[in-house]
Amino acid sequence: MASRRTGAAGRWAVVGVGVAVLLALPSVVGALPASDAATSAPELRRQALASTGVAFTGHAQAAGGLALPVADQLTGVADLLSDRTTMRAWYRGPADWRVDVVTPTGETGVHADGTGTWTWEYEDDVATRSEPSPLALPAAPDLLPSTLGRRLLSEATDGELSRLGAERVAGRDALGLRLVPAEEAASVARVDVWVDADSGVPLRVQVVGEDAGAGPALDTGFLDFELGTPAADVVAFDVPPGADVRAGEDARLLQAADRAARDGDRVRLPDELAGLPRRTIEGAPRGVGVYGRGVTLLAVSPLPWRVAGPLLDALRASPDAVADELGVRIAAGPLGLMLLRGPDGPVLAVGTVDLDALAGAATELTGGDR
């Protein structure tokens, strides 16, 4: 919106004073004191989780502070978690929304309907159809504050929650809610969610790792937010004539894990790992194990050497890498990543757990000595 207002000022200089007032208005409104409410932490969480049906239009920005030394397989994820992502959102409901990712060179729109998503790359004239997947690498729409906030609060217990004060976010009163995970293995120190006082929609989310002095590992928030149902034709997507239509593919790492599992039992996946219980995820490749809950999760997957080799080189190149008889592991903020030596080949372990938990998981999986 700032760029639009700047352009308007250039075209209509005669109303420059009025435009200057409009430009200053968002910061003035944001500086107004926020009104707090006597809402308990559990009740505020309930309101946030119940806001999935609240329609809105918004403009958000996410800033990732994670420096992932990864190979080609995870370049997109690394960029998403380390760069600044600008998004425009039109949300009619959980299965009826549109999120445009805006970059200096153009924009990419993701349109959801009841059976999947269309991703429209305008500059390349490519439309990609993706079906729902039980496991997927994060994408830009996952960083929208409303989506991420509900996701991170979804499995929190009352004992992990406390109230913060109130702030102004996108010109609205937002009530603060802090989540401190209880798991010993957790590498996330806290998650702060600012919830719209009127609608319950999360307006801002900050994820802070153990090194709080380094700032948030992820900070996403709305810059503009307006309640109301967007027009259906704004959200809907029809493939333009002549567009290159492609089918979405599962993440290459998940495909590789499924193939590795079919080749043999690379590693035994226990019912508990690093003190975290195993989750049941219907439809997930049988070679992938996911452990934990809420903001403390650990995923384990066997990898073929053609995938693991470049990843191992990237991990070793990190100045903070820890290499020992168990494998190589790094911490990028609250995200831990390890390539361990399984009994029949390499195994990837990744999640929001600390390096000690990764080493412990490797010991349990391989029977090695710590």
Side-chain angles (χ1 to χ4, degrees):
M1 291 188 65
S3 60
R4 291 182 181 177
R5 290 168 181 160
T6 302
R11 289 192 297 270
W12 298 297
V14 68
V15 291
V17 173
V19 171
V21 171
L22 291 176
L23 285 168
L25 186 58
S27 60
V28 171
V29 172
L32 293 174
S35 297
D36 203 351
T39 306
S40 69
E43 172 60 18
L44 191 56
R45 170 184 175 271
R46 188 198 66 77
Q47 292 178 13
L49 297 183
S51 68
T52 56
V54 177
F56 65 84
T57 302
H59 173 207
Q61 194 169 79
L66 303 183
L68 287 176
V70 297
D72 292 341
Q73 293 90 349
L74 287 175
T75 299
V77 177
D79 291 344
L80 188 67
L81 298 179
S82 62
D83 292 341
R84 191 174 298 274
T85 304
T86 301
M87 299 165 282
R88 289 197 298 255
W90 297 263
Y91 183 88
R92 292 170 52 87
D96 190 10
W97 50 261
R98 169 184 170 187
V99 176
D100 284 0
V101 179
V102 184
T103 68
T105 59
E107 55 186 62
T108 297
V110 182
H111 303 249
D113 54 40
T115 59
T117 62
W118 282 103
T119 299
W120 172 239
E121 300 172 65
Y122 179 80
E123 273 69 31
D124 297 328
D125 203 25
V126 174
T128 302
R129 180 63 180 176
S130 299
E131 305 301 327
S133 173
L135 293 174
L137 293 172
D142 297 321
L143 298 185
L144 206 64
S146 49
T147 302
L148 184 63
R150 287 191 289 258
R151 158 70 186 85
L152 296 181
L153 291 174
S154 63
E155 296 180 333
T157 64
D158 290 356
E160 294 175 310
L161 300 172
S162 61
R163 271 299 315 275
L164 301 173
E167 287 191 2
R168 297 283 287 182
V169 180
R172 303 178 66 87
D173 289 343
L175 309 182
L177 181 61
R178 174 162 292 177
L179 163 60
V180 177
E183 283 76 13
E184 184 178 349
S187 58
V188 173
R190 68 177 188 271
V191 176
D192 291 341
V193 182
W194 302 93
V195 179
D196 183 39
D198 291 334
S199 66
V201 176
L203 298 179
R204 187 180 184 188
V205 180
Q206 291 182 312
V207 180
V208 180
E210 293 175 317
D211 183 10
L218 180 62
D219 187 347
T220 178
F222 282 106
L223 305 178
D224 298 298
F225 181 86
E226 182 178 349
L227 294 173
T229 304
D233 60 353
V234 173
V235 174
F237 178 76
D238 294 319
V239 178
D244 181 6
V245 180
R246 301 176 183 176
E249 298 180 357
D250 292 335
R252 283 180 289 173
L253 285 179
L254 292 179
Q255 292 177 328
D258 199 25
R259 287 193 296 269
R262 291 197 299 268
D263 292 340
D265 292 329
R266 183 70 59 83
V267 65
R268 184 186 67 84
L269 296 174
D271 293 334
E272 183 177 289
L273 192 61
L276 304 174
R278 187 174 181 181
R279 303 174 68 101
T280 299
I281 302 179
E282 184 177 354
R286 69 183 183 92
V288 176
V290 180
Y291 297 82
R293 66 172 182 88
V295 300
T296 308
L297 293 172
L298 174 64
V300 178
S301 171
L303 295 181
W305 269 114
R306 63 178 179 79
V307 175
L311 184 58
L312 179 61
D313 292 340
L315 292 178
R316 284 174 172 165
S318 173
D320 298 322
V322 177
D324 54 25
E325 67 280 359
L326 294 174
V328 181
R329 56 192 179 275
I330 66 158
L335 188 64
L337 186 67
M338 181 174 188
L339 197 62
L340 60 100
R341 298 183 179 92
D344 296 308
V347 177
L348 174 68
V350 59
T352 47
V353 298
D354 58 30
L355 291 184
D356 287 342
L358 284 178
T363 300
E364 295 177 55
L365 290 171
T366 66
D369 297 326
R370 292 188 65 179

